[in-house]
PDB file of all heavy atoms in Angstrom:
ATOM      1  N   ARG A 288      -2.503  18.683  10.607  1.00 90.00           N
ATOM      2  CA  ARG A 288      -2.885  17.508   9.813  1.00 90.00           C
ATOM      3  C   ARG A 288      -2.050  17.566   8.501  1.00 90.00           C
ATOM      4  O   ARG A 288      -2.229  18.459   7.692  1.00 90.00           O
ATOM      5  CB  ARG A 288      -4.376  17.566   9.519  1.00 90.00           C
ATOM      6  CG  ARG A 288      -4.908  16.409   8.729  1.00 90.00           C
ATOM      7  CD  ARG A 288      -6.389  16.202   8.938  1.00 90.00           C
ATOM      8  NE  ARG A 288      -7.107  17.419   8.539  1.00 90.00           N
ATOM      9  CZ  ARG A 288      -7.472  17.740   7.305  1.00 90.00           C
ATOM     10  NH1 ARG A 288      -7.057  16.939   6.318  1.00 90.00           N
ATOM     11  NH2 ARG A 288      -8.144  18.789   7.036  1.00 90.00           N
ATOM     12  N   VAL A 289      -1.212  16.573   8.333  1.00 90.00           N
ATOM     13  CA  VAL A 289      -0.346  16.569   7.103  1.00 90.00           C
ATOM     14  C   VAL A 289      -1.198  16.133   5.930  1.00 90.00           C
ATOM     15  O   VAL A 289      -1.891  15.086   5.995  1.00 90.00           O
ATOM     16  CB  VAL A 289       0.852  15.595   7.260  1.00 90.00           C
ATOM     17  CG1 VAL A 289       1.793  15.724   6.119  1.00 90.00           C
ATOM     18  CG2 VAL A 289       1.542  15.794   8.626  1.00 90.00           C
ATOM     19  N   ARG A 290      -1.108  16.889   4.895  1.00 89.00           N
ATOM     20  CA  ARG A 290      -1.900  16.553   3.667  1.00 89.00           C
ATOM     21  C   ARG A 290      -0.994  16.516   2.415  1.00 89.00           C
ATOM     22  O   ARG A 290      -0.347  17.471   2.150  1.00 89.00           O
ATOM     23  CB  ARG A 290      -2.970  17.602   3.458  1.00 89.00           C
ATOM     24  CG  ARG A 290      -3.960  17.341   2.356  1.00 89.00           C
ATOM     25  CD  ARG A 290      -4.957  18.452   2.213  1.00 89.00           C
ATOM     26  NE  ARG A 290      -5.984  18.181   1.276  1.00 89.00           N
ATOM     27  CZ  ARG A 290      -5.888  18.330  -0.036  1.00 89.00           C
ATOM     28  NH1 ARG A 290      -4.730  18.758  -0.515  1.00 89.00           N
ATOM     29  NH2 ARG A 290      -6.850  18.087  -0.844  1.00 89.00           N
ATOM     30  N   GLY A 291      -0.935  15.340   1.789  1.00 89.00           N
ATOM     31  CA  GLY A 291      -0.208  15.207   0.521  1.00 89.00           C
ATOM     32  C   GLY A 291      -1.158  15.556  -0.601  1.00 89.00           C
ATOM     33  O   GLY A 291      -1.496  16.745  -0.730  1.00 89.00           O
ATOM     34  N   GLY A 292      -1.639  14.624  -1.336  1.00 85.00           N
ATOM     35  CA  GLY A 292      -2.577  14.921  -2.402  1.00 85.00           C
ATOM     36  C   GLY A 292      -4.060  14.872  -1.920  1.00 85.00           C
ATOM     37  O   GLY A 292      -4.967  15.135  -2.640  1.00 85.00           O
ATOM     38  N   GLY A 293      -4.234  14.442  -0.744  1.00 81.00           N
ATOM     39  CA  GLY A 293      -5.560  14.415  -0.075  1.00 81.00           C
ATOM     40  C   GLY A 293      -6.504  13.349  -0.554  1.00 81.00           C
ATOM     41  O   GLY A 293      -7.712  13.372  -0.283  1.00 81.00           O
ATOM     42  N   THR A 294      -5.965  12.272  -1.166  1.00 84.00           N
ATOM     43  CA  THR A 294      -6.861  11.180  -1.659  1.00 84.00           C
ATOM     44  C   THR A 294      -7.516  10.410  -0.494  1.00 84.00           C
ATOM     45  O   THR A 294      -8.569   9.807  -0.629  1.00 84.00           O
ATOM     46  CB  THR A 294      -6.132  10.211  -2.596  1.00 84.00           C
ATOM     47  OG1 THR A 294      -5.027   9.676  -1.859  1.00 84.00           O
ATOM     48  CG2 THR A 294      -5.665  10.824  -3.827  1.00 84.00           C
ATOM     49  N   ARG A 295      -6.806  10.424   0.630  1.00 78.00           N
ATOM     50  CA  ARG A 295      -7.322   9.681   1.762  1.00 78.00           C
ATOM     51  C   ARG A 295      -8.411  10.424   2.495  1.00 78.00           C
ATOM     52  O   ARG A 295      -9.146   9.873   3.311  1.00 78.00           O
ATOM     53  CB  ARG A 295      -6.177   9.400   2.735  1.00 78.00           C
ATOM     54  CG  ARG A 295      -6.501   8.326   3.719  1.00 78.00           C
ATOM     55  CD  ARG A 295      -5.266   7.873   4.489  1.00 78.00           C
ATOM     56  NE  ARG A 295      -5.374   6.532   4.898  1.00 78.00           N
ATOM     57  CZ  ARG A 295      -5.954   6.163   6.028  1.00 78.00           C
ATOM     58  NH1 ARG A 295      -6.395   7.024   6.855  1.00 78.00           N
ATOM     59  NH2 ARG A 295      -6.113   4.896   6.337  1.00 78.00           N
ATOM     60  N   GLY A 296      -8.555  11.706   2.254  1.00 68.00           N
ATOM     61  CA  GLY A 296      -9.639  12.483   2.871  1.00 68.00           C
ATOM     62  C   GLY A 296      -9.183  12.885   4.325  1.00 68.00           C
ATOM     63  O   GLY A 296      -8.162  12.445   4.763  1.00 68.00           O
ATOM     64  N   ARG A 299      -9.190  13.766  10.668  1.00 67.00           N
ATOM     65  CA  ARG A 299      -8.777  14.307  11.949  1.00 67.00           C
ATOM     66  C   ARG A 299      -8.790  15.816  11.974  1.00 67.00           C
ATOM     67  O   ARG A 299      -8.763  16.490  10.936  1.00 67.00           O
ATOM     68  CB  ARG A 299      -7.341  13.749  12.257  1.00 67.00           C
ATOM     69  CG  ARG A 299      -6.218  14.644  11.995  1.00 67.00           C
ATOM     70  CD  ARG A 299      -4.939  14.072  12.509  1.00 67.00           C
ATOM     71  NE  ARG A 299      -4.453  12.916  11.786  1.00 67.00           N
ATOM     72  CZ  ARG A 299      -3.161  12.676  11.563  1.00 67.00           C
ATOM     73  NH1 ARG A 299      -2.294  13.458  12.017  1.00 67.00           N
ATOM     74  NH2 ARG A 299      -2.798  11.618  10.935  1.00 67.00           N
ATOM     75  N   THR A 306       1.931  19.523   1.606  1.00 93.00           N
ATOM     76  CA  THR A 306       3.297  19.239   1.193  1.00 93.00           C
ATOM     77  C   THR A 306       3.572  19.602  -0.296  1.00 93.00           C
ATOM     78  O   THR A 306       4.608  19.345  -0.833  1.00 93.00           O
ATOM     79  CB  THR A 306       3.627  17.730   1.336  1.00 93.00           C
ATOM     80  OG1 THR A 306       2.728  16.996   0.499  1.00 93.00           O
ATOM     81  CG2 THR A 306       3.443  17.291   2.830  1.00 93.00           C
ATOM     82  N   ALA A 326       8.634  15.037  -1.195  1.00 97.00           N
ATOM     83  CA  ALA A 326       7.481  14.254  -0.708  1.00 97.00           C
ATOM     84  C   ALA A 326       6.169  14.675  -1.370  1.00 97.00           C
ATOM     85  O   ALA A 326       5.245  13.948  -1.494  1.00 97.00           O
ATOM     86  CB  ALA A 326       7.339  14.330   0.800  1.00 97.00           C
ATOM     87  N   VAL A 348       0.728   1.005  -6.511  1.00 95.00           N
ATOM     88  CA  VAL A 348      -0.022   1.874  -5.593  1.00 95.00           C
ATOM     89  C   VAL A 348      -1.540   1.823  -5.925  1.00 95.00           C
ATOM     90  O   VAL A 348      -1.932   2.138  -7.011  1.00 95.00           O
ATOM     91  CB  VAL A 348       0.477   3.330  -5.701  1.00 95.00           C
ATOM     92  CG1 VAL A 348      -0.319   4.223  -4.767  1.00 95.00           C
ATOM     93  CG2 VAL A 348       1.970   3.386  -5.418  1.00 95.00           C
ATOM     94  N   PRO A 349      -2.347   1.434  -4.963  1.00 94.00           N
ATOM     95  CA  PRO A 349      -3.764   1.388  -5.241  1.00 94.00           C
ATOM     96  C   PRO A 349      -4.333   2.781  -5.413  1.00 94.00           C
ATOM     97  O   PRO A 349      -3.943   3.666  -4.710  1.00 94.00           O
ATOM     98  CB  PRO A 349      -4.399   0.750  -3.985  1.00 94.00           C
ATOM     99  CG  PRO A 349      -3.266   0.184  -3.184  1.00 94.00           C
ATOM    100  CD  PRO A 349      -2.035   0.933  -3.606  1.00 94.00           C
ATOM    101  N   LEU A 351      -7.733   4.313  -4.841  1.00 92.00           N
ATOM    102  CA  LEU A 351      -9.023   3.974  -4.313  1.00 92.00           C
ATOM    103  C   LEU A 351     -10.014   5.070  -4.438  1.00 92.00           C
ATOM    104  O   LEU A 351     -11.105   5.077  -3.810  1.00 92.00           O
ATOM    105  CB  LEU A 351      -8.823   3.618  -2.797  1.00 92.00           C
ATOM    106  CG  LEU A 351      -7.827   2.526  -2.488  1.00 92.00           C
ATOM    107  CD1 LEU A 351      -7.781   2.203  -0.982  1.00 92.00           C
ATOM    108  CD2 LEU A 351      -8.307   1.235  -3.219  1.00 92.00           C
ATOM    109  N   LEU A 355     -13.919   4.697  -3.212  1.00 89.00           N
ATOM    110  CA  LEU A 355     -14.276   5.449  -1.989  1.00 89.00           C
ATOM    111  C   LEU A 355     -14.918   6.805  -2.319  1.00 89.00           C
ATOM    112  O   LEU A 355     -15.284   7.526  -1.397  1.00 89.00           O
ATOM    113  CB  LEU A 355     -13.038   5.685  -1.158  1.00 89.00           C
ATOM    114  CG  LEU A 355     -12.517   4.452  -0.369  1.00 89.00           C
ATOM    115  CD1 LEU A 355     -11.129   4.686   0.147  1.00 89.00           C
ATOM    116  CD2 LEU A 355     -13.482   4.046   0.733  1.00 89.00           C
ATOM    117  N   ARG A 357     -13.479   9.467  -3.544  1.00 84.00           N
ATOM    118  CA  ARG A 357     -12.637  10.558  -3.068  1.00 84.00           C
ATOM    119  C   ARG A 357     -11.989  11.299  -4.332  1.00 84.00           C
ATOM    120  O   ARG A 357     -12.031  10.794  -5.457  1.00 84.00           O
ATOM    121  CB  ARG A 357     -11.442  10.033  -2.266  1.00 84.00           C
ATOM    122  CG  ARG A 357     -11.905   9.279  -1.021  1.00 84.00           C
ATOM    123  CD  ARG A 357     -12.058  10.200   0.156  1.00 84.00           C
ATOM    124  NE  ARG A 357     -12.841   9.596   1.229  1.00 84.00           N
ATOM    125  CZ  ARG A 357     -12.298   8.704   2.077  1.00 84.00           C
ATOM    126  NH1 ARG A 357     -11.066   8.364   2.003  1.00 84.00           N
ATOM    127  NH2 ARG A 357     -13.072   8.224   3.066  1.00 84.00           N
ATOM    128  N   VAL A 360      -4.903  13.857  -5.827  1.00 92.00           N
ATOM    129  CA  VAL A 360      -3.855  13.095  -6.603  1.00 92.00           C
ATOM    130  C   VAL A 360      -2.864  12.549  -5.559  1.00 92.00           C
ATOM    131  O   VAL A 360      -2.460  13.282  -4.700  1.00 92.00           O
ATOM    132  CB  VAL A 360      -3.139  13.924  -7.616  1.00 92.00           C
ATOM    133  CG1 VAL A 360      -4.045  14.255  -8.836  1.00 92.00           C
ATOM    134  CG2 VAL A 360      -2.560  15.184  -7.081  1.00 92.00           C
ATOM    135  N   SER A 361      -2.464  11.298  -5.701  1.00 94.00           N
ATOM    136  CA  SER A 361      -1.501  10.705  -4.762  1.00 94.00           C
ATOM    137  C   SER A 361      -0.191  11.408  -4.882  1.00 94.00           C
ATOM    138  O   SER A 361       0.241  11.683  -6.021  1.00 94.00           O
ATOM    139  CB  SER A 361      -1.333   9.217  -5.039  1.00 94.00           C
ATOM    140  OG  SER A 361      -2.398   8.528  -4.595  1.00 94.00           O
ATOM    141  N   THR A 362       0.499  11.626  -3.784  1.00 96.00           N
ATOM    142  CA  THR A 362       1.881  12.151  -3.766  1.00 96.00           C
ATOM    143  C   THR A 362       2.790  11.106  -3.232  1.00 96.00           C
ATOM    144  O   THR A 362       2.374  10.149  -2.533  1.00 96.00           O
ATOM    145  CB  THR A 362       1.965  13.373  -2.835  1.00 96.00           C
ATOM    146  OG1 THR A 362       1.604  12.955  -1.528  1.00 96.00           O
ATOM    147  CG2 THR A 362       1.077  14.490  -3.327  1.00 96.00           C
ATOM    148  N   GLY A 364       4.888  11.346  -0.808  1.00 96.00           N
ATOM    149  CA  GLY A 364       4.851  11.314   0.703  1.00 96.00           C
ATOM    150  C   GLY A 364       3.664  10.530   1.165  1.00 96.00           C
ATOM    151  O   GLY A 364       3.797   9.755   2.178  1.00 96.00           O
ATOM    152  N   GLY A 365       2.491  10.742   0.564  1.00 94.00           N
ATOM    153  CA  GLY A 365       1.239   9.987   0.945  1.00 94.00           C
ATOM    154  C   GLY A 365       1.427   8.496   0.716  1.00 94.00           C
ATOM    155  O   GLY A 365       0.981   7.674   1.525  1.00 94.00           O
ATOM    156  N   VAL A 366       2.054   8.126  -0.405  1.00 96.00           N
ATOM    157  CA  VAL A 366       2.255   6.750  -0.707  1.00 96.00           C
ATOM    158  C   VAL A 366       3.133   6.094   0.266  1.00 96.00           C
ATOM    159  O   VAL A 366       2.846   4.968   0.765  1.00 96.00           O
ATOM    160  CB  VAL A 366       2.864   6.655  -2.135  1.00 96.00           C
ATOM    161  CG1 VAL A 366       3.454   5.289  -2.446  1.00 96.00           C
ATOM    162  CG2 VAL A 366       1.806   6.997  -3.202  1.00 96.00           C
ATOM    163  N   ALA A 368       3.742   7.258   3.416  1.00 94.00           N
ATOM    164  CA  ALA A 368       3.122   7.323   4.726  1.00 94.00           C
ATOM    165  C   ALA A 368       2.025   6.310   4.876  1.00 94.00           C
ATOM    166  O   ALA A 368       1.736   5.850   5.962  1.00 94.00           O
ATOM    167  CB  ALA A 368       2.540   8.780   4.916  1.00 94.00           C
ATOM    168  N   GLU A 369       1.440   5.852   3.736  1.00 92.00           N
ATOM    169  CA  GLU A 369       0.473   4.729   3.779  1.00 92.00           C
ATOM    170  C   GLU A 369       1.071   3.358   3.635  1.00 92.00           C
ATOM    171  O   GLU A 369       0.426   2.374   3.686  1.00 92.00           O
ATOM    172  CB  GLU A 369      -0.582   4.921   2.614  1.00 92.00           C
ATOM    173  CG  GLU A 369      -1.518   6.058   2.741  1.00 92.00           C
ATOM    174  CD  GLU A 369      -2.612   5.838   3.795  1.00 92.00           C
ATOM    175  OE1 GLU A 369      -2.745   4.708   4.289  1.00 92.00           O
ATOM    176  OE2 GLU A 369      -3.313   6.804   4.095  1.00 92.00           O
ATOM    177  N   ASN A 370       2.357   3.351   3.325  1.00 95.00           N
ATOM    178  CA  ASN A 370       3.039   2.110   2.973  1.00 95.00           C
ATOM    179  C   ASN A 370       2.265   1.350   1.922  1.00 95.00           C
ATOM    180  O   ASN A 370       1.927   0.194   2.083  1.00 95.00           O
ATOM    181  CB  ASN A 370       3.254   1.241   4.204  1.00 95.00           C
ATOM    182  CG  ASN A 370       4.187   0.027   3.883  1.00 95.00           C
ATOM    183  OD1 ASN A 370       5.067   0.145   3.017  1.00 95.00           O
ATOM    184  ND2 ASN A 370       3.972  -1.077   4.612  1.00 95.00           N
ATOM    185  N   ALA A 371       2.037   2.059   0.845  1.00 95.00           N
ATOM    186  CA  ALA A 371       1.194   1.507  -0.236  1.00 95.00           C
ATOM    187  C   ALA A 371       1.687   0.121  -0.795  1.00 95.00           C
ATOM    188  O   ALA A 371       2.879  -0.027  -0.910  1.00 95.00           O
ATOM    189  CB  ALA A 371       1.093   2.516  -1.352  1.00 95.00           C
ATOM    190  N   ALA A 372       0.764  -0.721  -1.108  1.00 96.00           N
ATOM    191  CA  ALA A 372       1.104  -2.008  -1.727  1.00 96.00           C
ATOM    192  C   ALA A 372      -0.089  -2.507  -2.489  1.00 96.00           C
ATOM    193  O   ALA A 372      -1.192  -2.484  -2.037  1.00 96.00           O
ATOM    194  CB  ALA A 372       1.490  -3.003  -0.626  1.00 96.00           C
ATOM    195  N   MET A 418       8.929   5.146   9.260  1.00 91.00           N
ATOM    196  CA  MET A 418       8.128   6.238   8.657  1.00 91.00           C
ATOM    197  C   MET A 418       7.178   5.725   7.557  1.00 91.00           C
ATOM    198  O   MET A 418       6.124   6.283   7.330  1.00 91.00           O
ATOM    199  CB  MET A 418       9.002   7.328   8.079  1.00 91.00           C
ATOM    200  CG  MET A 418       9.703   8.181   9.082  1.00 91.00           C
ATOM    201  SD  MET A 418       8.524   8.949  10.232  1.00 91.00           S
ATOM    202  CE  MET A 418       7.774  10.143   9.178  1.00 91.00           C
ATOM    203  N   ARG A 422       1.596   7.306   8.562  1.00 87.00           N
ATOM    204  CA  ARG A 422       0.362   8.130   8.331  1.00 87.00           C
ATOM    205  C   ARG A 422       0.407   9.524   8.898  1.00 87.00           C
ATOM    206  O   ARG A 422      -0.547   9.952   9.539  1.00 87.00           O
ATOM    207  CB  ARG A 422      -0.837   7.374   8.843  1.00 87.00           C
ATOM    208  CG  ARG A 422      -1.038   6.076   8.083  1.00 87.00           C
ATOM    209  CD  ARG A 422      -2.359   5.495   8.345  1.00 87.00           C
ATOM    210  NE  ARG A 422      -2.495   4.338   7.482  1.00 87.00           N
ATOM    211  CZ  ARG A 422      -3.251   3.279   7.726  1.00 87.00           C
ATOM    212  NH1 ARG A 422      -3.977   3.254   8.844  1.00 87.00           N
ATOM    213  NH2 ARG A 422      -3.348   2.298   6.893  1.00 87.00           N
ATOM    214  N   GLY A 423       1.560  10.168   8.786  1.00 88.00           N
ATOM    215  CA  GLY A 423       1.623  11.555   9.194  1.00 88.00           C
ATOM    216  C   GLY A 423       1.618  11.792  10.638  1.00 88.00           C
ATOM    217  O   GLY A 423       1.277  12.901  11.105  1.00 88.00           O
ATOM    218  N   GLY A 426       5.675  12.881  12.081  1.00 93.00           N
ATOM    219  CA  GLY A 426       6.376  13.986  11.488  1.00 93.00           C
ATOM    220  C   GLY A 426       6.020  14.091  10.037  1.00 93.00           C
ATOM    221  O   GLY A 426       5.162  13.294   9.543  1.00 93.00           O
ATOM    222  N   VAL A 427       6.684  15.010   9.348  1.00 95.00           N
ATOM    223  CA  VAL A 427       6.448  15.227   7.887  1.00 95.00           C
ATOM    224  C   VAL A 427       7.643  14.778   7.030  1.00 95.00           C
ATOM    225  O   VAL A 427       8.753  15.315   7.208  1.00 95.00           O
ATOM    226  CB  VAL A 427       6.127  16.725   7.648  1.00 95.00           C
ATOM    227  CG1 VAL A 427       5.728  16.939   6.215  1.00 95.00           C
ATOM    228  CG2 VAL A 427       5.088  17.298   8.643  1.00 95.00           C
ATOM    229  N   LEU A 428       7.387  13.865   6.185  1.00 96.00           N
ATOM    230  CA  LEU A 428       8.419  13.474   5.223  1.00 96.00           C
ATOM    231  C   LEU A 428       8.644  14.661   4.250  1.00 96.00           C
ATOM    232  O   LEU A 428       7.623  15.264   3.774  1.00 96.00           O
ATOM    233  CB  LEU A 428       7.931  12.298   4.412  1.00 96.00           C
ATOM    234  CG  LEU A 428       7.726  10.976   5.154  1.00 96.00           C
ATOM    235  CD1 LEU A 428       6.872  10.014   4.322  1.00 96.00           C
ATOM    236  CD2 LEU A 428       9.109  10.396   5.404  1.00 96.00           C
ATOM    237  N   THR A 429       9.868  14.936   3.926  1.00 96.00           N
ATOM    238  CA  THR A 429      10.136  16.074   2.973  1.00 96.00           C
ATOM    239  C   THR A 429      10.747  15.516   1.692  1.00 96.00           C
ATOM    240  O   THR A 429      10.563  16.027   0.589  1.00 96.00           O
ATOM    241  CB  THR A 429      11.033  17.109   3.588  1.00 96.00           C
ATOM    242  OG1 THR A 429      12.245  16.503   3.918  1.00 96.00           O
ATOM    243  CG2 THR A 429      10.384  17.780   4.723  1.00 96.00           C
ATOM    244  N   ARG A 533     -11.159  -3.650   4.855  1.00 93.00           N
ATOM    245  CA  ARG A 533     -10.003  -4.411   4.437  1.00 93.00           C
ATOM    246  C   ARG A 533      -9.580  -5.313   5.567  1.00 93.00           C
ATOM    247  O   ARG A 533      -9.451  -4.879   6.704  1.00 93.00           O
ATOM    248  CB  ARG A 533      -8.877  -3.457   4.103  1.00 93.00           C
ATOM    249  CG  ARG A 533      -7.661  -4.075   3.483  1.00 93.00           C
ATOM    250  CD  ARG A 533      -6.653  -3.103   3.091  1.00 93.00           C
ATOM    251  NE  ARG A 533      -6.395  -2.137   4.220  1.00 93.00           N
ATOM    252  CZ  ARG A 533      -5.727  -0.964   4.030  1.00 93.00           C
ATOM    253  NH1 ARG A 533      -5.283  -0.647   2.861  1.00 93.00           N
ATOM    254  NH2 ARG A 533      -5.516  -0.212   5.050  1.00 93.00           N
ATOM    255  N   LEU A 586     -12.206   1.419   5.630  1.00 87.00           N
ATOM    256  CA  LEU A 586     -11.644   2.610   4.923  1.00 87.00           C
ATOM    257  C   LEU A 586     -12.690   3.629   4.712  1.00 87.00           C
ATOM    258  O   LEU A 586     -12.351   4.799   4.492  1.00 87.00           O
ATOM    259  CB  LEU A 586     -11.042   2.116   3.605  1.00 87.00           C
ATOM    260  CG  LEU A 586      -9.606   1.648   3.784  1.00 87.00           C
ATOM    261  CD1 LEU A 586      -9.579   0.236   4.235  1.00 87.00           C
ATOM    262  CD2 LEU A 586      -8.782   1.801   2.525  1.00 87.00           C
ATOM    263  N   PRO A 589     -12.581   5.617   8.715  1.00 67.00           N
ATOM    264  CA  PRO A 589     -11.322   5.281   9.365  1.00 67.00           C
ATOM    265  C   PRO A 589     -11.365   5.409  10.920  1.00 67.00           C
ATOM    266  O   PRO A 589     -10.693   4.705  11.614  1.00 67.00           O
ATOM    267  CB  PRO A 589     -10.279   6.226   8.860  1.00 67.00           C
ATOM    268  CG  PRO A 589     -10.884   6.811   7.627  1.00 67.00           C
ATOM    269  CD  PRO A 589     -12.380   6.730   7.757  1.00 67.00           C
ATOM    270  N   ALA A 621      -6.313   7.359  12.299  1.00 40.00           N
ATOM    271  CA  ALA A 621      -6.904   7.535  10.993  1.00 40.00           C
ATOM    272  C   ALA A 621      -5.874   8.119  10.020  1.00 40.00           C
ATOM    273  O   ALA A 621      -4.974   8.831  10.408  1.00 40.00           O
ATOM    274  CB  ALA A 621      -8.071   8.527  11.065  1.00 40.00           C
TER     275      ALA A 621
HETATM  276  C1  FAD B 173      -8.978   5.932   3.111  1.00 75.26           C
HETATM  277  C2  FAD B 173      -7.801   5.485   2.280  1.00 75.26           C
HETATM  278  C3  FAD B 173      -6.929   4.623   2.820  1.00 75.26           C
HETATM  279  C4  FAD B 173      -5.852   4.147   2.098  1.00 75.26           C
HETATM  280  N1  FAD B 173      -5.032   3.236   2.680  1.00 75.26           N
HETATM  281  C5  FAD B 173      -4.112   2.678   1.893  1.00 75.26           C
HETATM  282  C6  FAD B 173      -3.258   1.673   2.497  1.00 75.26           C
HETATM  283  O1  FAD B 173      -3.405   1.376   3.666  1.00 75.26           O
HETATM  284  N2  FAD B 173      -2.387   1.065   1.700  1.00 75.26           N
HETATM  285  C7  FAD B 173      -2.246   1.386   0.314  1.00 75.26           C
HETATM  286  O2  FAD B 173      -1.481   0.803  -0.343  1.00 75.26           O
HETATM  287  N3  FAD B 173      -2.965   2.377  -0.171  1.00 75.26           N
HETATM  288  C8  FAD B 173      -3.920   3.017   0.565  1.00 75.26           C
HETATM  289  N4  FAD B 173      -4.692   3.989  -0.030  1.00 75.26           N
HETATM  290  C9  FAD B 173      -4.544   4.332  -1.475  1.00 75.26           C
HETATM  291  C10 FAD B 173      -3.356   5.283  -1.836  1.00 75.26           C
HETATM  292  O3  FAD B 173      -2.109   4.644  -1.519  1.00 75.26           O
HETATM  293  C11 FAD B 173      -3.386   6.577  -0.992  1.00 75.26           C
HETATM  294  O4  FAD B 173      -4.628   7.102  -1.151  1.00 75.26           O
HETATM  295  C12 FAD B 173      -2.445   7.584  -1.537  1.00 75.26           C
HETATM  296  O5  FAD B 173      -1.256   7.076  -2.002  1.00 75.26           O
HETATM  297  C13 FAD B 173      -2.164   8.647  -0.536  1.00 75.26           C
HETATM  298  O6  FAD B 173      -1.422   9.704  -1.152  1.00 75.26           O
HETATM  299  P1  FAD B 173      -1.901  11.236  -0.944  1.00 75.26           P
HETATM  300  O7  FAD B 173      -0.768  12.092  -1.388  1.00 75.26           O
HETATM  301  O8  FAD B 173      -3.214  11.489  -1.453  1.00 75.26           O
HETATM  302  O9  FAD B 173      -1.976  11.276   0.652  1.00 75.26           O
HETATM  303  P2  FAD B 173      -3.039  11.972   1.648  1.00 75.26           P
HETATM  304  O10 FAD B 173      -4.363  11.448   1.414  1.00 75.26           O
HETATM  305  O11 FAD B 173      -2.856  13.483   1.543  1.00 75.26           O
HETATM  306  O12 FAD B 173      -2.476  11.500   3.051  1.00 75.26           O
HETATM  307  C14 FAD B 173      -2.441  10.094   3.366  1.00 75.26           C
HETATM  308  C15 FAD B 173      -1.792   9.959   4.715  1.00 75.26           C
HETATM  309  O13 FAD B 173      -0.423  10.158   4.640  1.00 75.26           O
HETATM  310  C16 FAD B 173      -0.051  11.307   5.432  1.00 75.26           C
HETATM  311  N5  FAD B 173       0.947  12.049   4.697  1.00 75.26           N
HETATM  312  C17 FAD B 173       0.790  12.591   3.431  1.00 75.26           C
HETATM  313  N6  FAD B 173       1.950  13.206   3.061  1.00 75.26           N
HETATM  314  C18 FAD B 173       2.838  13.017   4.079  1.00 75.26           C
HETATM  315  C19 FAD B 173       4.136  13.492   4.259  1.00 75.26           C
HETATM  316  N7  FAD B 173       4.829  14.152   3.369  1.00 75.26           N
HETATM  317  N8  FAD B 173       4.728  13.141   5.457  1.00 75.26           N
HETATM  318  C20 FAD B 173       4.088  12.457   6.394  1.00 75.26           C
HETATM  319  N9  FAD B 173       2.835  12.036   6.264  1.00 75.26           N
HETATM  320  C21 FAD B 173       2.185  12.302   5.133  1.00 75.26           C
HETATM  321  C22 FAD B 173      -1.292  12.054   5.762  1.00 75.26           C
HETATM  322  O14 FAD B 173      -1.264  12.712   6.981  1.00 75.26           O
HETATM  323  C23 FAD B 173      -2.368  10.954   5.754  1.00 75.26           C
HETATM  324  O15 FAD B 173      -2.365  10.292   7.009  1.00 75.26           O
HETATM  325  C24 FAD B 173      -5.702   4.550   0.733  1.00 75.26           C
HETATM  326  C25 FAD B 173      -6.579   5.442   0.186  1.00 75.26           C
HETATM  327  C26 FAD B 173      -7.644   5.912   0.914  1.00 75.26           C
HETATM  328  C27 FAD B 173      -8.597   6.884   0.285  1.00 75.26           C
END
Side-chain angles (χ1 to χ4, degrees):
R288 183 158 58 81
V289 188
R290 186 181 186 280
T294 57
R295 194 168 210 273
R299 101 171 70 144
T306 63
V348 179
L351 303 181
L355 285 167
R357 301 271 164 79
V360 289
S361 285
T362 60
V366 164
E369 290 286 349
N370 190 29
M418 287 304 289
R422 296 192 175 154
V427 185
L428 294 162
T429 58
R533 188 175 47 195
L586 276 82

